[in-house]
Structures are given as structure tokens and as C-alpha cells.
Amino acid sequence: MSNLITTENLSFSYPASGERLALPVFEDLNVEIAEGSFTAIIGPNGCGKSTLAKHFNAILLPSGGKVWVAGLDTSDEEKLLEIRRQIGMVFQNPDNQIVANVVEEDVAFAPENLGVPSAEIRRRVDEALKTVGMYEYVEHAPHLLSGGQKQRVAIAGVLAMEPRCIVLDEPTAMLDPRGREEVVSTVARLNRERGITVVLITHHMNEAAAADRVIVMHKGGVLADGSPREVFRQVELLREAGLDVPQTVDLLNELRKSGWDVPLDALTPEECAEAIKNTGVGSPRSELSAEKHKEIKGAQNASTDAQPILEIRDLTHIYSAGTPFEHTAIEHINLAFRPGELVGVIGHTGSGKSTLIQHLNALLKPTSGKVLFKGEDIWKDKKFTHSIRGKVGLVFQYPEYQLFEETCWKDIAFGPKNQGITGAELDARVRRAAGFVGIGEELLEKSPFDLSGGQKRRVAIAGVIAMEPDVLILDEPTAGLDAAGRDSILENIRAYQQAQNAAVIMVSHAMEEVADLCSRLIVMNHGKVAMDGIPAEVFTHVEELTGMGLSVPQVTSVFALLRAKGLDVPPDVYTVRYAVARLLERKEGRPC
């Protein structure tokens, strides 16, 4: 295959700004993208993935070297329109690129601006929407669609330009498992059936595994390049770069460390289950003690004897009540949260998760029902309602967008300062919160806007922690972070929960995260609580969760397949650590 995109000794630096020096991203970078290929680009935050993608369609221009697109030099201003016809970009948040009030008008926007005749636009719009499975929504308002549907509309808008290549920059970061699958399967089909070149930037290793080729970027260069099987078997190399591998590879790698003869290139649960079955795993030799079982799972259940700190009683919320747009978001919710609990809230996009948590610190007022803090209605009077926002801290999705102060110290101090805390106590609060999230004192006097993405997020979380809330709520706190940044943030959350005996409630679309971190899971489905229990119980309901647009951790799927193959393995496996322990105890004739 010929190359559609070629970088030739590409160098790029972001310009200096104020006191900040010019920021070099990469130097002498050489990358080739073959026409008709499906390439995934992965790498830690700040490695240059998105910067490279923006060079592919001349949103950014080289500081040095060249970028060639179908033989056209991206530095040639006269060729920019033609380059952007050929390379379509789909960004992380579809709301940032949907511009019209009706789906068909949004898809028509780009070809209209390219001067395409009306009849041809009509054909392109219909064909693009049919291609992404959204034709039935042609007259719908985009803001009423789910995240996955919006992203498919965004892809249709790019397809209507009839590009040779689609570059997608973390298009699934904000989506639930079903939405992620919709987007990835759509672009894979476009590549397979129509020969469109696809470049997918992602932090989800399972998505990268679906590509033909994986490029691993690290510190502005290419660390590894090959097929998914070739790249992901280099487990230690990827981990040293702060990256993940698919759970199937992680599981097999841990088994190999224990002496098992298993391959490292099983990228799907089916391949992984077959590899494990072929080792001759048999009946159980012994059962783990209850204590060991708890230790391996990392359970951190709060005492059920403790009085609830936060209660939800028959909570219902209706948006736009009494209008044609009336919508019941949550209905008859009853929940209780206790000190020391670490609770995960999962559910498909539109299931009511965000509406639910915005009631917990009085951002939304119930249509009916109550929210009680330490037994008192949080809406009993204005003074108590105002005080709740310091006692129940809420960290929104992408909290770094909420930063606004001149220094990190001032940003972290904003919340407690509004609580009336001053002087030495305020400074102590700021430094204590910064310590919880791993922000060193040398950063406190810096502007938050000069920090990396992961550091910005830590500062934003510290601003809520500095109020020392009894309940800490986080909405997708790790979205868009690499493995190292994700793990760091999750450890920060765990540290605060343990040090303060706080109740922590975390909304997430990442099943592996909540499985590893949380002691309790609440599953929302169409505005109601569908399940509420420990992860071991919840993740045994594989079919029900899948039917709700969710998924289970890959290791849970592996063990379900092993059971289907007749192997005597437990159904309540949801972490790699626990999976390894259960398999080692079942390996006949070998020491555990």
C-alpha cells in the first residue's frame, strides 16, 4: 500500500507564552500512514499524540520538517482546503463539533461550506447517516441524543466531506461501553468496507487491539510500532511508559510469571479462555479462606452498622415539567451512603447518574422526595442548603476546566476561603489537600494553566478536598487520562477516603476501575436503581449488564467462558489479582 500521510523529520514546539518558554513536543519524527490502513496511536498524556493528529490535516503546521498528505505539503497555504477535504477530524467531545439544531443540517454543514451542489449534499447526508446507523434520527435535535449517537453524527459530518482518511482523537473518552463499541465498530466497518484510512487515538487498550497497527508514542518519539499482538506482548515496555495492556494480556502475563506456559498475544476473552483451558486447569484443590478472599479482592466495605451520612428517599426529578419537553430523569430512588464507603455508580449514558449526584449537594432540587445529610433535609433552609456544598464535595467531569485563579494555591484555597477559613488554617488546608493529590509545594505558586493535564486535574480535585467534605463525589475523574495518571488519581481518592473516613461516590464508565477500587456498585438504568451490591455480586450479571449498555471487566468475561467450557472456576472474578489467585489454586499438579 502507498502512504497517504508521511511525516518527514517533523519537529514542533508550542510557542512561548508570558513567562513560559517554548514547549517542544517532538523532533525529527518520522511516521507513515498507509492508505486503507487502520492505525491506533497510544501513549501517555503529553507524549504528542493529539499534536501529531492535528498535523495530519494542517490544524498545526511544522516548526521543522514536513508533513505530506497525498503528496501535498501541509505548509502550502494554497493546498490547505484540499488537505482538509482528504483528512477529516473527529474530536473527543461531540458537543464541541456539532453546530446545528437538526441532525441532517449538522451533517450538511461541511459539504455546504465546500460548495457542494444541493442535490449532491442531500445524497451525501443520507448516505453518511445510513453508514453510521443514524438515518432514522435525521430530523432529531442533536442535544437529545446519547453521547454515542452524537459521536456517530459527528463522524457522519466528516463522512459527508468524502475524505480519504478519518482521524479520531479520543472519540470515546466520554462514552459508556455501548457508545464506545458503537463508535469503534462504525469506524472499523468504514475501513473494512469502504477502504477509508482510519487513525484512532485512544487510551482504551481494547480499542487499540481492534486496529491493524499500533503506534506507541512516548516523550515525543515512537516507542513501538507493529501489529496489536506484537505491541501488547511487550508488557513491561508499555508499563514503563505509563501505559496499560488489555486485561487478557495482563492476566496471561501474571500467569507466565508463575511458571505457566501461556502466550501473551491473546487479545480477546475468547482467545484468553482458550489459552488457559489448554494448560489443563482442573477442579479446585482448595478454597480460599474468607480472610484471604477479602485480602485478594481488596474489599474496603464500610460497617453496615454505621449510621448513613447521606440518604436518598423516594427521589424523583423531572426536567421541563409541564412542557412538551418533559422528561423524567430519575424516579423513586432510595439509597443510603455510610462513612468510609467507596461506592461506584455505573450506567449507560442517559441513565440518570449525573442527575442523581447533582441532588446530593443541592445543585438540583428534587421534584419529589428528599435528600438527607446526617438525618436532616438538605433543603430545610437556605443556610443549611448553602453549607451542604462544603460538606458534600462534587468534582465534575474534566474538573480542570473549572480552574480560574492565578496560582494553584489560590485555586485550592477558593472553596475553604468561602467557608470562612483564613490565615494559618487556610494555608494548612491548602497544603494538606495538595499533599493528598500529589501536588508538591513547588507547584503551589505556579499558574494552574502552566501544568500538565494530569496536574491540572489534581489541583481541581484538591480544591474540593480542601473543604474537607464528609462526602466526596467524583464524576468520571479519570476520563482522558493515561494509565499512570489514572492510577495516581485513584490512589489519591483512596488516600482521602481512608484518612478522613469519608464516603466517596465515583461515577465511571470504566468497569475495570470500579471493580478494582470500589467496595459497592450501584447500577443505574433508565432513571432507576437496577442493582446495588458488592462488585462480586454485580458483575455476575453479565447478560443483564450487557443488555443495559454496560460491560464487565475482561477477566469476568474470561471466567464466564471458562465455565461455559466446563471448567470449575468461580463466577465472581472481577480483578486480575483475584483471577490469578483462583487459577493458581486450581492448577493440578503444580504448586500454587
Side-chain angles (χ1 to χ4, degrees):
M1 292 186 288
S2 60
N3 291 325
L4 179 61
I5 303 171
T6 301
T7 72
E8 185 179 286
N9 299 321
L10 174 64
S11 298
F12 180 78
S13 296
Y14 284 103
S17 176
E19 295 182 0
R20 189 181 67 191
L21 299 175
L23 177 64
V25 181
F26 33 67
E27 188 173 352
D28 295 328
L29 181 66
N30 293 287
V31 171
E32 297 176 342
I33 303 295
E35 182 148 23
S37 64
F38 182 178
T39 302
I41 301 179
I42 62 175
N45 293 117
C47 70
K49 304 184 300 296
S50 295
T51 300
L52 178 62
K54 289 172 183 175
H55 277 82
F56 287 170
N57 79 336
I59 292 176
L60 294 176
L61 299 178
S63 302
K66 293 287 185 181
V67 177
W68 302 93
V69 174
L72 303 176
D73 182 351
T74 61
S75 298
D76 185 346
E77 290 188 12
E78 295 182 358
K79 304 297 184 183
L80 289 185
L81 183 60
E82 179 59 25
I83 288 168
R84 289 169 183 165
R85 285 177 187 266
Q86 310 229 22
I87 310 293
M89 287 283 295
V90 178
F91 296 98
Q92 187 176 98
N93 188 345
D95 290 327
N96 292 341
Q97 61 192 106
I98 290 177
V99 297
N101 295 320
V102 180
V103 165
E104 64 177 354
E105 292 177 2
D106 191 83
V107 177
F109 181 79
E112 281 178 346
N113 279 279
L114 292 172
V116 176
S118 297
E120 175 64 8
I121 290 175
R122 179 76 267 167
R123 182 194 69 78
R124 290 192 187 189
V125 168
D126 291 348
E127 183 177 331
L129 287 171
K130 288 176 183 176
T131 299
V132 300
M134 290 295 292
Y135 184 71
E136 63 184 290
Y137 297 93
V138 64
E139 296 181 353
H140 279 56
H143 74 275
L144 297 177
L145 302 177
S146 72
Q149 290 171 328
K150 287 180 184 178
Q151 198 61 286
R152 283 190 284 161
V153 170
I155 294 172
V158 171
L159 285 177
M161 295 190 297
E162 297 192 343
R164 292 165 69 176
C165 174
I166 301 178
V167 180
L168 304 103
D169 190 2
E170 295 192 52
T172 66
M174 302 176 68
L175 304 183
D176 60 28
R178 178 176 289 170
R180 290 202 298 267
E181 184 179 349
E182 287 175 353
V183 170
V184 175
S185 64
T186 296
V187 297
R189 189 178 71 252
L190 290 171
N191 170 255
R192 183 175 60 252
E193 296 178 359
R194 297 179 57 177
I196 293 177
T197 305
V198 173
V199 178
L200 173 65
I201 295 172
T202 181
H203 281 306
H204 294 282
M205 299 302 106
N206 297 344
E207 294 176 3
D212 303 322
R213 173 190 177 199
V214 177
I215 296 174
V216 184
M217 291 192 66
H218 184 59
K219 296 181 178 178
V222 174
L223 181 67
D225 184 355
S227 71
R229 295 186 193 279
E230 292 168 340
V231 168
F232 286 124
R233 66 165 63 105
Q234 302 177 68
V235 178
E236 299 309 318
L237 178 71
L238 294 174
R239 284 186 171 153
E240 287 174 8
L243 297 175
D244 259 338
V245 293
Q247 269 200 335
T248 52
V249 176
D250 191 11
L251 173 58
L252 294 173
N253 185 56
E254 292 301 315
L255 292 174
R256 283 190 72 161
K257 289 180 181 178
S258 299
W260 287 38
D261 184 17
V262 289
L264 279 183
D265 59 357
L267 299 179
T268 67
E270 291 79 10
E271 293 174 349
C272 185
E274 189 63 25
I276 292 171
K277 180 187 175 187
N278 290 340
T279 65
V281 175
S283 299
R285 294 169 50 203
S286 62
E287 290 299 325
L288 291 176
S289 68
E291 291 76 16
K292 191 66 175 174
H293 184 274
K294 181 177 179 181
E295 176 190 335
I296 291 171
K297 286 190 173 183
Q300 299 179 21
N301 292 306
S303 171
T304 55
D305 297 329
Q307 288 296 312
I309 191 169
L310 201 61
E311 291 182 83
I312 301 170
R313 293 185 182 174
D314 202 31
L315 180 66
T316 295
H317 189 86
I318 301 172
Y319 287 109
S320 304
T323 76
F325 302 102
E326 180 175 303
H327 169 64
T328 301
I330 54 175
E331 188 174 13
H332 302 305
I333 303 292
N334 290 280
L335 293 167
F337 302 97
R338 292 174 170 79
E341 276 196 302
L342 217 167
V343 183
V345 180
I346 60 178
H348 59 82
T349 303
S351 63
K353 304 184 300 298
S354 293
T355 299
L356 173 66
I357 64 173
Q358 288 178 59
H359 280 83
L360 301 185
N361 77 337
L363 285 181
L364 289 177
K365 190 171 185 177
T367 303
S368 63
K370 293 181 178 181
V371 177
L372 307 179
F373 179 79
K374 295 184 177 179
E376 297 186 79
D377 187 344
I378 66 174
W379 288 94
K380 72 174 188 175
D381 58 55
K382 288 184 178 180
K383 184 177 180 181
F384 189 65
T385 300
H386 181 73
S387 71
I388 284 299
R389 288 165 189 153
K391 297 169 182 176
V392 180
L394 176 57
V395 180
F396 292 101
Q397 192 176 69
Y398 293 103
E400 57 268 31
Y401 294 164
Q402 300 165 224
L403 300 173
F404 62 94
E405 287 281 12
E406 295 173 340
T407 68
C408 295
W409 191 97
K410 289 182 179 180
D411 221 299
I412 296 171
F414 183 81
K417 193 173 180 180
N418 281 310
Q419 290 177 305
I421 296 168
T422 59
E425 174 59 18
L426 178 61
D427 187 65
R429 287 273 194 109
V430 169
R431 294 180 189 281
R432 192 157 54 238
F436 271 124
V437 300
I439 292 293
E441 293 200 4
E442 72 280 2
L443 296 179
L444 289 179
E445 294 307 316
K446 285 184 173 289
S447 166
F449 304 105
D450 288 340
L451 305 183
S452 70
Q455 289 172 327
K456 287 179 182 177
R457 189 162 303 187
R458 290 185 184 91
V459 170
I461 293 173
V464 175
I465 286 177
M467 295 187 289
E468 298 190 352
D470 297 305
V471 181
L472 178 63
I473 305 168
L474 305 106
D475 191 0
E476 294 277 0
T478 64
L481 293 182
D482 58 30
R486 175 203 65 206
D487 292 345
S488 178
I489 292 291
L490 295 180
E491 282 304 312
N492 300 153
I493 294 167
R494 196 196 305 270
Y496 182 78
Q497 174 246 347
Q498 292 176 341
Q500 302 293 114
N501 195 35
V504 175
I505 303 166
M506 185 175 82
V507 175
S508 179
H509 284 138
M511 301 301 106
E512 288 80 9
E513 279 181 19
V514 295
D516 197 49
L517 185 72
C518 299
S519 56
R520 174 186 171 197
L521 295 182
I522 294 168
V523 183
M524 297 290 294
N525 187 37
H526 297 300
K528 297 182 179 180
V529 175
M531 300 180 197
D532 183 357
I534 63 173
E537 296 169 345
V538 169
F539 285 131
T540 58
H541 299 279
V542 178
E543 291 184 3
E544 293 96 320
L545 291 170
T546 303
M548 295 177 197
L550 299 174
S551 63
V552 296
Q554 271 197 326
V555 291
T556 304
S557 297
V558 170
F559 271 64
L561 289 165
L562 290 173
R563 288 174 66 82
K565 293 175 182 291
L567 276 69
D568 187 4
V569 293
D572 63 343
V573 173
Y574 56 92
T575 68
V576 170
R577 178 174 46 177
Y578 186 43
V580 171
R582 298 312 297 257
L583 287 171
L584 289 180
E585 69 171 1
R586 280 163 161 72
K587 183 64 175 171
E588 290 184 333
R590 296 190 184 186
C592 294

